[in-house]
Amino acid sequence: MNIKIVCVGKLKEKYFRAAIAEYQKRLSRFAKVQIIEVPDEKAPEKFSAAEQENVKEIEGQRILSKIKAKEYVFVTAIKGKERSSEELAGEIKDLGTYGHSDLTFVIGGSLGTSAAVNKRADDLLSFGRLTIPHQLMRVVLIEQIYRSFMINSGSPYHK
C-alpha cells in the first residue's frame, strides 16, 4: 500500500520531526509512506474573510497539484466524519482489499482547506471538534495510520 500525507507548511520543531520519523519507520513494514509539504501562503495578522478564502484557495491549488486521479483522498476537517481507531483501521483495510492501494491524507494550513480540496476528497476525516495545530496534527495522523495497520495485523499495540 502507498500512503501519502500532503501538508501545508514546513515542520520546524525537532520533536515533531522525530516523532513523525519514528512512525514512518514503523509503518515501512506495511506501506510506503511519503510526506509532501507544500508552502503555506503568507498572510497579514488581521485580514478579511475574502483574504482568508484567497489564502485557502492558493494553498488548495498547491495541495491539489500533489494528488493523482487514482488516489483515494482523506481530508482532515473539523466537520468531517469522526471515527474510532478501529473504524479507521477497518476502512483502510477495506480500501486496500477493494483496489485502493494509494491513499492520500491531506492536512490543510492554519485556516483549513479550500472548497476545491474538500470537493476532491473521497472522505472528510475529523479528529473531533478540538482545534489541533496543523503541525501537531501530522503526528496525530501518522500515529493513527500506524495504529490502523497494527489493529489490522492483530498486534497488541492497540489496547
Side-chain angles (χ1 to χ4, degrees):
M1 182 167 276
N2 297 305
I3 306 281
K4 184 191 304 180
I5 301 173
V6 180
C7 337
V8 174
K10 288 217 176 284
L11 198 56
K12 299 172 186 97
E13 294 82 0
K14 285 183 186 178
Y15 48 91
F16 287 151
R17 287 197 314 260
I20 289 168
E22 176 63 25
Y23 285 112
Q24 269 188 288
K25 184 175 94 178
R26 291 180 186 190
L27 271 166
S28 67
R29 68 186 238 220
F30 300 108
K32 179 183 173 208
V33 179
Q34 180 183 18
I35 297 176
I36 298 173
E37 295 178 335
V38 299
D40 55 343
E41 185 64 15
K42 302 300 178 223
E45 280 290 318
K46 295 181 182 181
F47 51 108
S48 69
E51 289 171 314
Q52 288 182 23
E53 284 304 310
N54 187 51
V55 167
K56 288 196 306 189
E57 289 302 318
I58 292 168
E59 291 175 349
Q61 290 169 6
R62 292 174 183 157
I63 291 167
L64 291 171
S65 74
K66 304 300 181 188
I67 299 172
K68 296 182 177 118
K70 68 177 182 165
E71 296 169 355
Y72 189 93
V73 178
F74 288 95
V75 173
T76 58
I78 289 174
K79 294 182 180 178
K81 178 183 172 191
E82 290 185 42
R83 299 157 171 83
S84 67
S85 295
E86 295 87 355
E87 289 169 330
L88 181 61
E91 287 182 37
I92 289 173
K93 183 178 182 179
D94 289 347
L95 287 166
T97 300
Y98 297 108
H100 293 285
S101 60
D102 295 300
L103 303 183
T104 297
F105 294 83
V106 174
I107 302 171
S110 59
L111 298 174
T113 50
S114 69
V117 170
N118 292 343
K119 184 177 179 186
R120 170 56 184 93
D122 293 290
D123 206 338
L124 297 178
L125 176 62
S126 175
F127 284 83
R129 295 184 334 189
L130 295 172
T131 300
I132 300 173
H134 59 281
Q135 297 91 347
L136 177 58
M137 190 65 227
R138 292 187 198 189
V139 178
V140 173
L141 175 63
I142 198 166
E143 190 282 334
Q144 284 298 303
I145 294 169
Y146 174 69
R147 182 177 297 273
S148 292
F149 280 96
M150 295 305 285
I151 290 169
N152 291 337
S153 71
S155 168
Y157 176 84
H158 177 71
K159 296 174 186 156

